[in-house]
Structure formats: C-alpha cells, structure tokens
Amino acid sequence: MSGILRLTIRYLLYNKLKTITLVLCVSLAILLPVLLQFGVTQFERDLMARANATPLVAGMKGSRFDLALQSMYFSQAELELTTMQEVETIQETGYALPIPLAVRFTAQGAPIVGTTLDYFEFRKLRIADGTSLQRLGDCVIGSNVAKRLQLKSGDRLMSDPLNVFDLSGNYPLKMQVVGVLDQAYSPDDDAVFVDLKTEWIISGIGHGHQSINAETDQDLVLNKQGQSTIANAAVPQFNEVTEDNLASFHFHGEIESFPVTSMILIPTDPKSEVLLLGMYDTKESAIQLIRPVEIVNELLQLIFRVKQLFDANTLLVSISVGLLLALVFILSLRLRQRERRTMFQLGCSRLTIWKLQLTELCFILAASLMVVSILTAVLRVYIHQLMRMWFI
C-alpha cells in the first residue's frame, strides 16, 4: 500500500494545477452549504439570545419590527417619538423598571444611545478602561468603536450632524470619552452611550452659551426687560461641555415632554408583566408593548423561507460540481490510458491501477475537507462581527 501512496502523491505533485483546481472545486461544493447552515444557526442563536434577555419593549404604535430592532440593535429607523412622561407613568405603576432609550444620532457612523445607568447593569456591561458616565457631555464607547476609531479614555468624539446644510438643526457635540466597555460580543460593542441629557443637547433641546447681561456686546442682545436680557440667535453656542461652561447648559421646556425613542421594560414579576401588557392593550393607547422573542421568531420564519431557496440553489450547484468532477475524472482516465497500459505491462494488476485512481480521489476529498475545516475555524473567530455587518 505504501507504493500506491507514493505513486499517488508523486502524480498529484507533478500535476499541481489540476490538483489545485479539483481541490478548490470540491471545497466550494462542500463549503457553500456548510457556511450557510453555520451562518443561519449562529444568526438564530445571536438573535434569540438578545431577544430572550429583553423582556419587553415599549414605544409608539407603528412598525413592531423597527421598534424591536432599534431597541435591541440600535438600527436607524424613523420611529415616532414618545416622551419621558410615558417613562414616568410606567415607573409609577411599579409593574416594571423602564429603561429609556434615545437612538437618533451617530458619531463617526456609530449609533449614539442615550440612556440611563440602569442599562449598563441590565446588559451586564463592564468598563474595561476609564469610568462610567458622570456628567453632561460624557460618553462611553463599545470595544469595537474604540478599536475602529483608535479611541481611549480621555479622547474626544464628535457627533455627526443630521444635515450639514441645515443651519437651524442640531449642533454636533464634541463628547469626552470617559470609558471603554469590555468586549460583550453584542451590538453594544458598536455603540456610543451617553446620558439622556447629553442626547437632548445633541438634538438641540438643551444648549450652553456665554452669559448675557447688560455689559454684553449689543449685537448679541435682542431685548431688555427690566433685570432680564434676551439674547438673539447670534450668541455662539458651546459645542463641548467643560468644567468652565458646564453651568451655562440648560434646557427649554419640561423634562416630561422631552423625547425618547423607546423603552426597555423589566417587569418585577410575571403577574406585573401581564398587568402591564393589559394596561396598554387598548385601542386608545398610543403606546404599544411587544415581546422581542415573538418578533424575532417571526423574523426567523421569514429567514428560513429564504434559506429554503438557498438550500435548493446549493443542491443544484453541488450536483453541477459533482457532475463536473465526474467528467474530469472520466476524461483523466481516457487521457491516462497509455499510462495504465504501461503499468499493466510492468506487472500491475487492474485492481492496483483502480486503487491508484481511488487513492487520488481520496486525497483530493481529504484536502478539500481540510480547506473547509480551516475556513470554518476562521469563520468562528469573526462570526459575531460578520453577523452584525451583514444582517444588522
């Protein structure tokens, strides 16, 4: 048998181009269904893990899918905004702990998530470098954001303007990076977290500017009413919160009217969850409550329908590659007739010749399986990044 192996290896090494071509063809035929199955399985696992960890999500009535995906994955969606009044209403019932989310802006392409410190405890997020949110203008960034933008604690990060041609819109805010989150292998790794008040400053609800008084340049004064001075729009606004200008930042309006995009609700117990769902399950309510698990299951059903089409296509491709390999094998036998005749004349039996052919085929299959195994192992390392890049 050692002689058959030696002859087979010599032949495959001599015909390098043919061997490499066959190995790649077989590898692709095997790799396509393996990667598809592996990707769908991992995608389902990641989706269900995030959904199972999120009991309830509340927001204005509209698309349930957009509400769930934005609340769990911070995807950009045009959701109708609710207010802090709804957050306080749920808080007062005692049925659940509401965690408000405001996801409207980005910083260097990363979603800015305005929330409270309860979110970090809820998601079990740990600070790897620096501290947590402490004041206006602070931000905590995910590990992937830190790597991509080469940021660390103490650096600055500017928010993206919604429209560079809209001078009356939101002003970009230069935020101070006070902390970097530990790797969580979740959408939190790709987000920038700020306090709700910081998010409201980015939206233009709050701002800071230089003090206006009687000694101020008259070009900045719109009107004087007794002891008060009304400034005009020419007063420059601060685009960064510092120790010197922190006291000048203020908000216009009542905090109950300030916007949030959605809420994550953590019921105190199963009974409270049922009561909370019943409270908002009316036509008069402008708020809808959804269970992310149910939404994700609906999404997965759609994905599996698409997967059936991919499975059918993969089957056809595999059959085509199999027929191609069979054709190549038959043509190879015809081209090697003189070689087989010479081996037969040297004393090799027909069985030995067929063993040589089968051994070559086994070597090609083994090499193809090795290539597939290596690529699958590499995929396992980067599967979380690829899932978020392709699907979320």
Side-chain angles (χ1 to χ4, degrees):
M1 190 64 182
S2 60
I4 294 178
L5 290 176
R6 184 163 56 251
L7 286 174
T8 302
I9 294 173
R10 290 289 182 87
Y11 177 81
L12 293 176
L13 292 177
Y14 182 78
N15 297 275
K16 295 183 181 65
L17 182 59
K18 172 188 172 183
T19 302
I20 293 174
T21 303
L22 289 175
V23 169
L24 291 178
C25 289
V26 176
S27 298
L28 290 176
I30 300 174
L31 188 64
L32 186 59
V34 169
L35 290 186
L36 180 61
Q37 184 62 40
F38 181 74
V40 170
T41 301
Q42 187 65 42
F43 181 58
E44 178 185 7
R45 184 181 297 115
D46 288 348
L47 277 180
M48 291 305 299
R50 190 78 167 177
N52 287 326
T54 310
L56 293 174
V57 170
M60 296 294 288
K61 287 185 175 179
S63 171
R64 298 178 298 116
F65 296 102
D66 287 343
L67 178 60
L69 292 177
Q70 187 178 71
S71 301
M72 292 191 296
Y73 296 95
F74 315 132
S75 60
Q76 296 298 314
E78 295 296 330
L79 294 179
E80 186 177 353
L81 300 177
T82 183
T83 63
M84 286 297 295
Q85 179 64 54
E86 296 294 342
V87 178
E88 295 179 1
T89 299
I90 295 178
Q91 180 78 48
E92 292 171 356
T93 63
Y95 295 152
L97 170 66
I99 302 178
L101 298 174
V103 187
R104 294 183 291 170
F105 306 102
T106 59
Q108 298 295 312
I112 297 177
V113 182
T115 185
T116 63
L117 294 179
D118 291 329
Y119 182 86
F120 297 93
E121 183 179 354
F122 168 63
R123 294 293 188 196
K124 297 180 175 59
L125 301 177
R126 299 179 180 178
I127 302 294
D129 175 43
T131 63
S132 187
L133 301 174
Q134 296 178 341
R135 67 170 194 184
L136 286 176
D138 288 350
C139 71
V140 173
I141 60 178
S143 58
N144 290 344
V145 177
K147 293 175 184 176
R148 178 170 63 88
L149 302 179
Q150 298 295 307
L151 295 175
K152 61 182 183 302
S153 178
D155 291 340
R156 298 293 189 274
L157 178 62
M158 184 75 76
S159 64
D160 301 326
L162 288 180
N163 189 345
V164 295
F165 302 105
D166 184 8
L167 299 179
S168 63
N170 69 305
Y171 291 91
L173 180 68
K174 183 185 292 185
M175 301 171 289
Q176 181 177 4
V177 179
V178 296
V180 177
L181 294 174
D182 198 4
Q183 187 84 32
Y185 300 102
S186 70
D188 301 316
D189 295 333
D190 300 296
V192 176
F193 295 94
V194 299
D195 182 72
L196 280 173
K197 291 184 178 180
T198 301
E199 201 273 349
W200 293 332
I201 289 176
I202 297 175
S203 68
I205 297 176
H207 60 263
H209 51 70
Q210 71 181 59
S211 300
I212 304 297
N213 51 50
E215 305 300 327
T216 305
D217 187 345
Q218 294 299 315
D219 293 337
L220 304 179
V221 177
L222 179 64
N223 190 15
K224 292 184 178 180
Q225 297 179 355
Q227 300 296 325
S228 62
T229 302
I230 302 175
N232 58 33
V235 177
Q237 296 187 10
F238 299 124
N239 70 338
E240 182 179 5
V241 181
T242 64
E243 292 290 346
D244 296 331
N245 63 24
L246 178 60
S248 69
F249 278 84
H250 56 281
F251 298 87
H252 297 280
E254 300 295 331
I255 192 171
E256 292 82 4
S257 64
F258 291 172
V260 294
T261 54
S262 61
M263 296 170 276
I264 294 176
L265 306 181
I266 309 173
T268 55
D269 51 57
K271 180 181 178 181
S272 299
E273 180 178 354
V274 173
L275 292 174
L276 195 61
L277 288 169
M279 186 172 71
Y280 286 96
D281 189 18
T282 61
K283 294 182 178 180
E284 292 77 16
S285 175
I287 300 294
Q288 63 174 336
L289 267 63
I290 61 173
R291 286 191 174 99
V293 173
E294 297 176 355
I295 303 301
V296 169
N297 281 328
E298 292 184 34
L299 286 173
L300 289 176
Q301 290 178 4
L302 296 175
I303 292 172
F304 288 141
R305 290 178 185 175
V306 176
K307 180 178 176 294
Q308 291 177 354
L309 297 178
F310 278 102
D311 288 340
N313 180 71
T314 301
L315 179 61
L316 294 176
V317 171
S318 300
I319 293 174
S320 300
V321 173
L323 293 175
L324 177 62
L325 292 176
L327 179 61
V328 171
F329 186 72
I330 293 172
L331 291 176
S332 177
L333 292 178
R334 292 176 63 88
L335 292 173
R336 297 171 64 185
Q337 284 182 355
R338 294 180 59 185
E339 177 185 336
R340 295 200 308 275
R341 188 180 303 114
T342 302
M343 294 177 64
F344 183 73
Q345 291 173 351
L346 290 173
C348 290
S349 64
R350 288 186 173 85
L351 179 61
T352 302
I353 296 174
W354 281 106
K355 284 181 179 180
L356 282 171
Q357 303 293 333
L358 293 176
T359 305
E360 291 177 15
L361 183 60
C362 290
F363 265 99
I364 291 173
L365 291 175
S368 301
L369 290 175
M370 187 178 298
V371 171
V372 172
S373 300
I374 293 173
L375 293 177
T376 304
V378 173
L379 180 65
R380 286 181 181 274
V381 177
Y382 300 101
I383 185 65
H384 297 283
Q385 293 88 334
L386 292 175
M387 288 296 103
R388 289 195 293 273
M389 184 187 302
W390 291 345
F391 300 108
I392 302 299

